[in-house]
């Protein structure tokens, strides 16, 4: 197997840690000798041994001297919840380490490679680098800017409608596409919707039958006017719900009831009656360690994030339907000139059954990450 094939395997292993390792990066490792894989490992959950150590432990007493280690992210060189991986690699006398990308964490960046090379270990860097950066785009954005990664998930028709004017939106896309969107939910820390979406759709905002940790559910309801009968307020995971209100909102029995039921009330400043989005994402990170936010609607909320420039990625799921007069995903945001249109860097276009999946990234994010 060549370096590319081995790195693909490391990436596949790293993906197994999705939903469990945040805020750490997703990392997989493969140990090979004479073109034969002798061990594999990945970072399984936050605080667990890193991928390199997992792979070494899975070698089950095999002498690793002279072997090659393939890992999608530069091995760490600092003490965190676990000892430095570089020390274990040197101790086991690996002959070569193949790395997908340099770790953007200032505590590691380039230092892991240097320590390996100083120990006489051959190092190759940059194998499938773009794919490795895409895998850990959330980590890269957060560690380099200190800000959460904001993703839009939009299910729409071919002409851009996300619902009828009466807010009917179930179901625009196919079951296969909805399954893909659920898998995407498993990769984020929080799912965010506006008041109208919560009221009209009464969504569960969960992983449904998928295994994994349920993301936080963030509901924008500045005046606390949503009825308490909604799913998010009465289901078994209501303690994973954050209701965002105007910081000037006075105490009330309704607010007390939500708190007693285990939900979180997050007070945020408002501007012209709308939640301040810069303050919101800052508080979500500081108070709840939320590093990846998926905004699922509605059009006013999506428009506000877009207009504020507080977004990194859009996941479009497009159904081959025409819905005249429907609601557009960015209904609340208009621009006077074509030159002011938002332009994306398109990274993926793929069919899902009859539907189409398009992934676009903010140009600024693209420069930061790639």
């Amino acid at each position: 197997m060549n370096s590319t094939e081995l790195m693909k395997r490391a990436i596949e292993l790293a993906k197994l840690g999705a939903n469990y390792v945040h805020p750490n990066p997703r990392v997989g490792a493969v140990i090979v000798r004479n073109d034969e894989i002798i061990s594999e490992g990945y970072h399984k959950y936050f605080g667990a041994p890193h991928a390199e150590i997992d792979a070494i432990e899975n070698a089950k007493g095999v002498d690793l001297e002279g072997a090659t280690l393939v890992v999608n992210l530069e091995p760490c060189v600092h003490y965190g919840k676990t000892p430095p991986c570089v020390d274990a690699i040197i101790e086991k006398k690996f002959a070569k380490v193949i790395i997908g990308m340099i770790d953007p964490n200032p505590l590691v960046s380039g230092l892991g490679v240097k320590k390996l090379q100083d120990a006489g270990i051959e190092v190759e860097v940059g194998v499938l680098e773009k794919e490795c950066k895409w895998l850990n785009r959330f980590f890269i954005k957060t560690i380099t800017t200190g800000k959460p990664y904001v993703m839009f998930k939009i299910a729409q028709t071919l002409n851009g409608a996300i619902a009828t004017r009466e807010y009917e939106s179930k179901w625009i896309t196919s079951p296969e596409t909805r399954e893909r969107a659920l898998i995407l939910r498993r990769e984020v820390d929080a799912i965010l919707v506006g008041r109208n979406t919560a009221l009209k759709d009464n969504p569960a905002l969960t992983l449904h039958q998928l295994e994994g940790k349920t993301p936080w559910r963030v509901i924008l309801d500045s005046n606390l006017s949503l009825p308490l009968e909604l799913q998010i307020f009465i289901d078994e995971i209501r303690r994973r719900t954050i209701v965002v209100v105007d910081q000037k909102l006075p105490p009330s029995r309704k607010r007390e009831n939500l708190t007693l039921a285990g939900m979180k009330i997050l007070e945020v400043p408002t501007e012209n009656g709308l939640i301040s989005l810069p303050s919101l994402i800052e508080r979500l990170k500081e108070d709840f360690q939320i590093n990846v936010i998926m905004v699922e609607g509605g059009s006013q909320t999506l428009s506000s994030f877009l207009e504020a420039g507080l977004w990194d990625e859009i996941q479009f799921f497009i159904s081959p339907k025409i819905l005249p007069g429907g609601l557009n995903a960015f209904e609340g945001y208009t621009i006077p000139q074509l030159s002011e249109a938002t332009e994306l860097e398109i990274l993926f276009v793929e069919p899902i059954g009859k539907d189409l999946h398009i992934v676009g990234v903010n140009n600024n994010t693209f420069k930061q990450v790639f």
Side-chain angles (χ1 to χ4, degrees), residues 3-239:
S3 298
T4 299
E5 292 172 329
L6 290 167
M7 190 61 68
K8 285 181 179 178
R9 179 56 185 163
I11 290 172
E12 288 304 310
L13 289 165
K15 290 177 181 178
L16 298 175
N19 186 258
Y20 301 104
V21 300
H22 292 316
N24 285 350
R26 289 174 276 188
V27 186
V30 178
I31 299 175
V32 61
R33 193 198 328 256
N34 300 326
D35 293 327
E36 180 184 353
I37 293 176
I38 58 177
S39 184
E40 297 179 334
Y42 68 98
H43 188 33
K44 293 181 170 61
Y45 57 87
F46 181 69
H50 289 182
E52 302 93 320
I53 305 304
D54 190 45
I56 289 172
E57 291 177 349
N58 289 339
K60 298 178 181 178
V62 175
D63 184 4
L64 299 178
E65 183 175 355
T68 295
L69 174 69
V70 181
V71 60
N72 59 290
L73 184 71
E74 178 183 14
C76 67
V77 72
H78 67 296
Y79 281 88
K81 286 189 173 294
T82 58
C85 294
V86 167
D87 292 350
I89 295 169
I90 294 172
E91 180 186 345
K92 293 296 181 180
K93 299 181 180 180
F94 280 86
K96 183 176 181 178
V97 178
I98 299 172
I99 299 169
M101 62 170 282
I102 295 296
D103 192 334
N105 185 342
L107 296 174
V108 181
S109 188
L111 299 177
V113 169
K114 184 179 185 304
K115 191 167 184 178
L116 290 171
Q117 290 174 331
D118 289 346
I121 297 174
E122 181 184 352
V123 179
E124 180 182 354
V125 179
V127 177
L128 294 183
E129 183 177 33
K130 185 176 180 180
E131 289 84 349
C132 291
K133 287 184 174 180
W134 172 253
L135 174 70
N136 278 313
R137 62 198 185 278
F138 309 145
F139 172 73
I140 297 172
K141 166 71 184 293
T142 304
I143 201 70
T144 57
T145 69
K147 298 177 181 179
Y149 192 99
V150 179
M151 175 197 305
F152 297 167
K153 193 274 286 183
I154 300 172
Q156 64 178 50
T157 64
L158 203 56
N159 66 319
I162 61 172
T164 67
R165 286 288 162 178
E166 288 71 39
Y167 296 98
E168 181 187 356
S169 61
K170 295 181 179 179
W171 297 99
I172 285 177
T173 55
S174 66
E176 294 85 357
T177 296
R178 296 199 294 275
E179 180 70 17
R180 179 73 63 86
L182 281 178
I183 292 172
L184 193 61
R185 277 183 179 178
R186 192 164 56 183
E187 297 190 10
V188 306
D189 298 324
I191 303 166
L192 184 150
V193 298
R195 179 190 176 281
N196 284 341
T197 297
L199 180 64
K200 302 293 183 180
D201 292 352
N202 191 19
L205 304 179
T206 66
L207 300 180
H208 295 285
Q209 303 303 316
L210 288 182
E211 292 185 359
K213 183 179 179 181
T214 301
W216 284 101
R217 303 179 295 186
V218 181
I219 315 299
L220 307 187
D221 188 16
S222 58
N223 295 319
L224 206 58
S225 59
L226 286 170
L228 297 182
E229 294 77 22
L230 295 178
Q231 288 190 74
I232 51 175
F233 297 144
I234 61 176
D235 64 18
E236 295 179 353
I237 57 169
R238 56 184 177 275
R239 292 178 181 274

